[in-house]
Structures are given as C-alpha cells and as structure tokens.
C-alpha cells in the first residue's frame, strides 16, 4: 500500500500572485497535516494526481501557471463547501 501524501496550499488574494505550498508530507507527517486541518476546520480536497504534481514543489513555492486552472477549481469547490457549512 502506498503511503498517504498531502500538500497544503494557501492563497491570499491581496498579498499573493498565486497559491503557494505551505506544508507537505507523507505517512505520519501527512496524517498530522490532515489532523491540524480538521482541528482548524480547513477544508480538504482529495486529488491524488494533483497532490503528486504539487508535491514536487518546495515549501513557500507558488504553483506553476499550468496548474492555475485545476487549483482554481479546487479552491472554488472548497469555497462552496465552506459557504454551505456556515
């Protein structure tokens, strides 16, 4: 079985030109990131292919332009979930 892998992104419209990787990890580190996300009610979207692509980036590195569209779709999905939760 392949170890769980996660990548956390952050985007602040006023301060950032594109979303950036703020955390990433595999196995126990991935589980810890997911636990922290749940504790802080941060929505989680599962997409193995996207995680594989994003995991190649360094912490604090912004996403490449070719991933803007797919990441924008994820952020839109998360925004909708967040909006319905409130």
């Amino acid at each position: 079985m392949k170890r769980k892998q996660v990548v956390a992104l952050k985007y602040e419209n006023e301060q950032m030109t594109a979303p950036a990787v703020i955390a990433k990890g595999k196995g126990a580190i991935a589980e810890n990131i997911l636990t922290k996300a749940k504790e802080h009610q941060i929505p989680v979207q599962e997409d193995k292919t996207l995680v594989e692509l994003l995991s190649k980036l360094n912490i604090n590195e912004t996403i490449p332009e070719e991933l803007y569209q797919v990441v924008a779709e994820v952020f839109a999905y998360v925004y909708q979930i967040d909006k319905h939760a409130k």
Side-chain angles (χ1 to χ4, degrees), residues 44-62:
V44 173
Q45 168 71 29
E46 291 189 41
D47 186 324
K48 290 179 186 179
T49 305
L50 183 56
V51 168
E52 277 186 40
L53 292 169
L54 293 171
S55 68
K56 294 175 180 149
L57 301 174
N58 294 316
I59 302 293
N60 295 322
E61 187 175 350
T62 57

Side-chain angles (χ1 to χ4, degrees), residues 4 6 26-39:
K4 183 176 287 248
V6 299
K26 292 181 182 178
I29 294 170
E31 293 297 337
N32 190 26
I33 292 168
L34 289 171
T35 299
K36 292 291 182 191
K38 287 179 184 146
E39 285 173 6

Side-chain angles (χ1 to χ4, degrees), residues 5-17:
Q5 184 174 0
V6 299
V7 176
L9 297 175
K10 179 178 182 175
Y11 179 66
E12 293 180 18
N13 194 18
E14 302 300 317
Q15 291 110 6
M16 304 172 78
T17 57

